[in-house]
Amino acid sequence: MVRLIDLDVSGASLAARLALGAILGGLAFLVFYYVPANLLGIASNLAGVEIPPQAAGVISSLIEPALPFVGLALAPAIFLCALFRGTKAYGPLTIALSLIFAAYVFLFFHGGAISVAAPVDQLVGGLPMELSLSIRVDMAMLMALFLVPPALGVAKGVLLMMKRD
Amino acid sequence: MRLSTGIKLFNALIVLTVVAASAVTFLVAMNAIAVVSSLRVGEPSFNSSGSVVEISFPISVSNSGPFDVSDIRVSADLKDEDGGLIASASSQPFSVPAGARGAQRSVSIRIDLSEIPQERLSALFSQARNLTLSASAGAALVPFVSVSAHLSGSIPWEPPVKDFELGEPVLLGYNSTHLVASMPVRFENPSGISVEGSVNFLLVDADTGSEIGSGHLEVEAPPRSEFAGELQFSLRLPENTTALMLEGRTFRCNATLGFKIFGIQVHSVSTPVEMVWDPPVASPYLGSPSVTPYNSTHSVFILPFAFTNANKLITLNGSVKAGLVVGSSLVAECQPVPVHVPPGSGFVCDLEMLVPNWALSVPGTLVLSMDTQLGSTSLEVPVNG
């Protein structure tokens, strides 16, 4: 038996927790950190062409600079949640994970509205004019929808802590 | 126990909301893609009423998704370098309900030529410049996403009338009151719009400022073409056409050409025009008269007369005759000699008349008269017997 804070678990259970945590943490690392941090390279590989610098600028502006780092913080948080599930640390970890996820959602939606500026004449070759395009996508409602799960997660974490007390 | 149930409930709710948020995102994305891909812009239709030109683009859009697309709006302004409005486009905000098929709307570009100052219109027609485009569009997928876009930029404008040239005028014909002439007109249309309209030509005497001629030319210059045409016009002759018979003259005029499109003058060009008139009776020559006895009372009086028709257009037709006046009486007159002198040709004749011998020894006046299609003229030469 191995003691995890206030919980005794068997070696097999610990191994299972470690494996599950590693898998979920790895997936989180891939989805929430690696993809946004390497979006240009991935898009270029998927498209099979080198993305021109002007388009690269537009794509880069879709990703908040802090987003990959918050995504990176999700991976250990998920790993720890999987590892310490059922212990008294699980409640605070759930709250922490929910808050990090809420921050990730907020950054992903740029606070609810994404603004992109594109020099059209540079993106579309052969135009005999200088044109710039700015697009604003207001997704506050959609963001609010994605903030509901972390809010419920915080509430769940509070309940877990209350249950432990 | 209650807390455990609550935690289980929260777990279920978390899963449910994650699935719901993902599903909504997917549906919104699919809805947007379907609407955008269904968007069709038809052939534009042109309407003009008075000074207003309206170009309407029919738009057809379908919405096969679950959400209403609302507040769809398009607007655009086109301004010149000085910020003056040239054209504006707008559509009334409209919605496409979920499930709507082939909803028809139109976006109209409205140009009111009367609201554009003449000098700006003229500059647009004749000078390359940069125009400023400012366009906005927006739509909302209620209630989750709204999109607004703003496009701005500088568009190089090629003038539809470039390097306008008027050639040398050529006289074509005449009558007793007017000359008919033509002038080559040439310009390039490097723009993408068609120039269809008319050119009105007004000729004003440079000295008096009075209108002396006018003309009209239909113009049709497709995009990126060169137009060349002949502008025919009539030029009112001075009332004293006799002077034109003997004297060269340069008609100095100011020509104003006005381009009209949709009945509205959009551009005018003013240029000085000179037309040289060479006299049909140039360098008139009266030779030394000779007198030979005819009988006891009369002698034959022979007067050589010559001139050159310097005019390049007119064949001078008419007659010439001579007479001798003593005191106030016509004492001798010759038979009229027909005159037919093509342009550039010379005319030579001997004017013969029987003169009473007594008249040859007293002072008198030799009168040379010409009657032509341009009028009559006479030349008086004193003779001293």
Side-chain angles (χ1 to χ4, degrees):
Chain A
M1 296 294 280
V2 179
R3 188 156 187 86
L4 280 174
I5 304 175
D6 60 340
L7 185 69
D8 291 327
V9 293
S10 65
S13 175
L14 180 63
R17 285 168 183 257
L18 285 170
L20 184 67
I23 291 168
L24 292 177
L27 277 174
F29 176 84
L30 199 67
V31 174
F32 297 117
Y33 170 74
Y34 184 79
V35 170
N38 299 280
L39 187 63
L40 278 179
I42 293 167
S44 181
N45 285 337
L46 285 176
V49 289
E50 184 79 15
I51 293 177
Q54 297 84 0
V58 174
I59 294 172
S60 296
S61 70
L62 293 172
I63 306 292
E64 282 277 359
L67 186 76
F69 301 107
V70 177
L72 189 62
L74 276 171
I78 288 173
F79 174 78
L80 290 175
C81 278
L83 183 62
F84 292 109
R85 183 181 167 87
T87 69
K88 66 177 180 184
Y90 185 53
L93 280 172
T94 302
I95 293 172
L97 175 64
S98 299
L99 291 176
I100 295 171
F101 190 72
Y104 190 89
V105 168
F106 186 82
L107 290 173
F108 182 85
F109 286 100
H110 292 241
I114 298 176
S115 294
V116 180
V120 179
D121 51 327
Q122 291 174 29
L123 290 174
V124 184
L127 282 181
M129 57 190 82
E130 292 173 16
L131 287 176
S132 64
L133 175 70
S134 63
I135 300 173
R136 181 185 159 90
V137 185
D138 198 324
M139 300 185 293
M141 189 62 83
L142 210 56
M143 183 183 77
L145 206 57
F146 274 93
L147 284 173
V148 172
L152 291 170
V154 170
K156 177 189 162 185
V158 171
L159 284 182
L160 284 168
M161 287 169 71
M162 286 167 65
K163 187 183 172 190
R164 278 287 157 188
D165 291 340
Chain B
M1 186 64 190
R2 278 184 192 164
L3 284 175
S4 296
T5 309
I7 289 166
K8 283 178 186 169
L9 182 65
F10 271 105
N11 279 337
L13 280 173
I14 288 170
V15 171
L16 197 66
T17 51
V18 166
V19 170
S22 303
V24 166
T25 305
F26 177 78
L27 289 173
V28 164
M30 288 298 108
N31 204 152
I33 291 169
V35 169
V36 170
S37 61
S38 77
L39 194 64
R40 298 281 180 276
V41 180
E43 285 291 311
S45 62
F46 293 82
N47 284 311
S48 68
S49 170
S51 61
V52 179
V53 180
E54 199 165 271
I55 307 161
S56 294
F57 293 88
I59 293 174
S60 163
V61 63
S62 298
N63 181 8
S64 56
F67 304 111
D68 291 350
V69 183
S70 67
D71 199 22
I72 303 172
R73 62 198 186 283
V74 179
S75 65
D77 285 340
L78 190 65
K79 294 179 176 176
D80 73 358
E81 286 170 336
D82 306 320
L85 184 69
I86 293 165
S88 62
S90 63
S91 73
Q92 292 292 323
F94 64 97
S95 299
V96 183
R101 297 265 166 207
Q104 301 283 335
R105 292 290 186 279
S106 71
V107 176
S108 298
I109 298 174
R110 185 178 183 276
I111 305 171
D112 190 342
L113 295 174
S114 69
E115 286 179 0
I116 304 174
Q118 185 64 48
E119 63 270 23
R120 190 183 299 155
L121 207 54
S122 199
L124 274 175
F125 251 77
S126 57
Q127 296 168 16
R129 40 182 46 212
N130 282 320
L131 304 181
T132 306
L133 174 71
S134 175
S136 297
L141 270 172
V142 180
F144 296 105
V145 178
S146 70
V147 182
S148 61
H150 183 77
L151 183 71
S152 63
S154 173
I155 301 173
W157 169 261
E158 288 287 355
V161 179
K162 187 183 175 191
D163 295 336
F164 180 82
E165 285 175 13
L166 276 179
E168 286 293 314
V170 178
L171 294 172
L172 299 177
Y174 67 96
N175 59 26
S176 60
T177 56
H178 286 82
L179 287 175
V180 179
S182 81
M183 204 157 39
V185 174
R186 196 203 75 82
F187 67 85
E188 283 180 45
N189 177 10
S191 72
I193 64 170
S194 182
V195 178
E196 289 178 25
S198 62
V199 171
N200 290 312
F201 181 74
L202 189 66
L203 214 52
V204 173
D205 190 304
D207 299 323
T208 64
S210 59
E211 183 187 330
I212 54 171
S214 62
H216 178 83
L217 175 67
E218 290 295 326
V219 172
E220 187 176 340
R224 286 170 283 282
S225 69
E226 185 176 309
F227 175 82
E230 290 286 331
L231 175 67
Q232 284 203 7
F233 61 97
S234 59
L235 173 69
R236 199 178 70 234
L237 288 172
E239 289 189 1
N240 181 12
T241 52
T242 307
L244 290 177
M245 204 154 61
L246 299 168
E247 296 168 9
R249 182 166 174 182
T250 301
F251 292 100
R252 288 190 175 81
C253 320
N254 289 323
T256 301
L257 290 97
F259 284 82
K260 278 189 174 179
I261 292 180
F262 298 113
I264 293 164
Q265 182 157 313
V266 292
H267 177 49
S268 68
V269 180
S270 286
T271 181
V273 173
E274 287 193 350
M275 277 173 289
V276 177
W277 171 266
D278 296 307
V281 182
S283 311
Y285 168 77
L286 280 176
S288 299
S290 61
V291 179
T292 54
Y294 181 71
N295 58 26
S296 59
T297 58
H298 287 77
S299 295
V300 177
F301 187 96
I302 301 171
L303 180 69
F305 175 60
F307 68 88
T308 304
N309 181 357
N311 195 279
K312 297 176 184 67
L313 170 71
I314 291 173
T315 296
L316 194 70
N317 288 306
S319 64
V320 60
K321 65 181 178 181
L324 183 65
V325 175
V326 175
S328 58
S329 304
L330 179 68
V331 296
E333 190 175 42
C334 72
Q335 288 294 315
V337 176
V339 170
H340 175 78
V341 193
S345 304
F347 173 79
V348 179
C349 74
D350 286 331
L351 300 168
E352 288 184 20
M353 58 184 158
L354 282 176
V355 180
N357 288 335
W358 64 266
L360 293 172
S361 56
V362 294
T365 304
L366 201 57
V367 180
L368 187 74
S369 302
M370 279 187 78
D371 282 316
T372 69
Q373 76 271 35
L374 286 175
S376 301
T377 185
S378 61
L379 184 67
E380 295 185 357
V381 182
V383 288
N384 293 319

